[in-house]
Amino acid sequence: MTKNLFVVPLGALVILGGAVLSGCGIQDASPPTSAQNHSASKAAVTGASPLEQAKTIVMVSRATGWASSSNQIFRTTTSGKKWVSVLKSPTILTMDAVNAKTAWVATKEGARDVILSYTDDGGVHWATHQLNAPWPVVQAQVNVTTHSPDGSFGSVLLSGPVDMQTGPQAMWTLSHGHVSSAPVYITANGAFAAVAWTSSTRAWAISDGVGSPALMDSTNGGASWSPVALPLPNWVPPKAMNNPRPQLQASLEAFKSPTFVNGVGYLSTTLNVPYIGSQNIVKYHNYTVLYKTTSGTTWTPIWTRANASLVSMDWITSQDGWDIVAKGHQVQLDHTSTSGHTWQDVSTLPSTIHPLSVKFFGQTGWIVSQSTQANTLSLWQSHNDGKQWQVVHE
């Protein structure tokens, strides 16, 4: 079912008071709530900001971004200083956006029903599609391509109750503002945690079910998926040194969602290499490993960092990228201009920033931080290539 939805034209001005999140999100569904009225309404300006409980924000330029709370979608064109309410619904599950005009929003309609709303004019008008799952919906995920001018393709993934890390999942595809009439993929034991699309037929997904996580590949629009073999770095021996237990093998864990730009793909993982420590206790060396592909067929490890955890990575071009790496109590912002083969330290982030994601547009950078108070989020901005950061105030 598709219908046009008219929204009050960008008239409800809201002031940012703290909570934002950058990137594609997966959000838990609230208890089933009817979402009969999808028209935007003015957000009441009270002592507490309407964004304090924000679940998702996507910054799409130096000045423009989208954010979602549990019941509203907001848009800013003032670098996060002021936000406008463009959509209101009793139960918003998740949101994703590509540019200043295009966004997708999933809202709860009933236990098994989800309304998927789409705008291509900055939230002035919305078209809606009703999705019916064969089981109660617990989570929703929307993934649209992030390196396409119009975000013309992607998917929406609805997940049911989880049992032992897996559960039922159904996937619909998105193309030019339209949704497939039926799910292209249904499984009773799904564990997809992220999906990345490079065309209307080619996609990669991270499966995070029982056992080790895996990179999955689809060449037929998501109808079927196959695991992708990822070789270990060539310096990792078949058996870890000083390891008399052959069952202890190096393993890849904690996959991040793959990113594709200009036909080049990047994937980061954590590599655990076991060894026998004192008193015959098994311990592990941990490494962050960055993989690269130019065809999607073969992924090659190109860079490793010991005892570090990758927080977030952003690519402006296939050569120019940024990352945030946590190493002990220190969090570092790095930059590459060599397609990830070498990285340069840019700055050590202030201890007041607890980063969740990073995004750059030229010299302007955005970091979303987990606040230490009231379980909220904060937005930080840099105007000088990440050397200094300032929190965005109302």
Side-chain angles (χ1 to χ4, degrees):
M1 177 180 82
T2 303
K3 58 183 179 181
N4 288 327
L5 178 62
F6 295 90
V7 177
V8 177
L10 305 185
L13 189 62
V14 184
I15 307 300
L16 172 66
V20 285
L21 176 64
S22 178
C24 306
I26 308 174
Q27 302 294 342
D28 291 337
S30 302
T33 304
S34 175
Q36 298 297 328
N37 180 17
H38 294 274
S39 62
S41 64
K42 292 186 178 181
V45 179
T46 62
S49 165
L51 293 182
E52 281 189 352
Q53 301 302 319
K55 294 181 177 182
T56 306
I57 190 169
V58 182
M59 297 305 298
V60 294
S61 72
R62 293 180 176 90
T64 305
W66 301 75
S68 70
S69 67
S70 61
N71 57 13
Q72 289 192 76
I73 299 296
F74 302 96
R75 183 173 177 267
T76 180
T77 57
T78 58
S79 299
K81 296 179 179 65
K82 297 178 181 179
W83 294 81
V84 174
S85 176
V86 295
L87 183 68
K88 187 174 182 181
S89 176
T91 309
I92 293 176
L93 301 179
T94 189
M95 178 270 294
D96 196 14
V98 173
N99 54 38
K101 294 184 177 181
T102 306
W104 294 85
V105 179
T107 59
K108 195 73 174 288
E109 179 77 7
R112 302 185 178 191
D113 300 327
V114 168
I115 295 295
L116 191 63
S117 301
Y118 167 79
T119 181
D120 61 2
D121 58 8
V124 179
H125 304 93
W126 296 81
T128 62
H129 311 264
Q130 184 168 340
L131 309 181
N132 306 108
W135 17 255
V137 176
V138 176
Q139 290 182 332
Q141 176 186 164
V142 177
N143 296 107
V144 292
T145 179
T146 56
H147 290 286
S148 170
D150 59 358
S152 59
F153 43 82
S155 62
V156 56
L157 185 70
L158 302 184
S159 301
V162 176
D163 181 22
M164 296 297 291
Q165 295 182 283
T166 65
Q169 290 186 319
M171 178 183 294
W172 288 257
T173 54
L174 313 176
S175 178
H176 299 285
H178 300 285
V179 184
S180 57
S181 59
V184 297
Y185 177 75
I186 298 179
T187 179
N189 298 291
F192 283 175
V195 183
W197 293 83
T198 57
S199 72
S200 59
T201 58
R202 194 73 188 272
W204 281 262
I206 301 301
S207 180
D208 197 18
V210 178
S212 298
L215 177 65
M216 309 294 288
D217 177 23
S218 176
T219 59
N220 57 5
S224 61
W225 298 83
S226 302
V228 178
L230 294 175
L232 296 179
N234 55 18
W235 54 264
V236 178
K239 298 179 182 178
M241 295 180 63
N242 193 29
N243 177 12
R245 304 178 186 179
Q247 70 274 19
L248 295 177
Q249 301 292 327
S251 61
L252 296 172
E253 306 288 345
F255 286 40
K256 297 288 186 180
S257 177
T259 300
F260 291 84
V261 54
N262 300 333
V264 178
Y266 294 95
L267 171 72
S268 66
T269 71
T270 298
L271 172 65
N272 296 327
V273 180
Y275 69 97
I276 305 300
S278 60
Q279 299 180 351
N280 204 35
I281 297 176
V282 178
K283 297 183 178 181
Y284 292 87
H285 292 301
N286 300 314
Y287 303 86
T288 292
V289 182
L290 180 64
Y291 286 83
K292 178 182 177 181
T293 185
T294 55
S295 64
T297 304
T298 302
W299 292 77
T300 304
I302 61 171
W303 174 79
T304 60
R305 176 172 290 186
N307 301 317
S309 175
L310 182 70
V311 177
S312 179
M313 183 172 288
D314 179 53
W315 293 92
I316 298 176
T317 69
S318 58
Q319 293 82 33
D320 187 9
W322 300 83
D323 74 8
I324 294 179
V325 176
K327 195 169 185 179
H329 296 291
Q330 182 173 295
V331 181
Q332 184 77 33
L333 175 70
D334 302 323
H335 176 257
T336 181
S337 57
T338 60
S339 300
H341 291 272
T342 59
W343 293 81
Q344 302 296 322
D345 294 345
V346 175
S347 63
T348 298
L349 299 182
S351 60
T352 49
I353 298 181
H354 306 280
L356 297 175
S357 62
V358 64
K359 188 72 177 176
F360 269 86
F361 300 94
Q363 292 184 324
T364 301
W366 297 99
I367 288 179
V368 178
S369 172
Q370 180 72 54
S371 299
T372 56
Q373 298 178 351
N375 193 32
T376 61
L377 304 169
S378 58
L379 180 64
W380 295 71
Q381 186 179 33
S382 172
H383 297 286
N384 58 358
D385 287 320
K387 296 179 180 66
Q388 286 90 32
W389 295 87
Q390 300 82 36
V391 67
V392 177
H393 292 289
E394 59 179 322

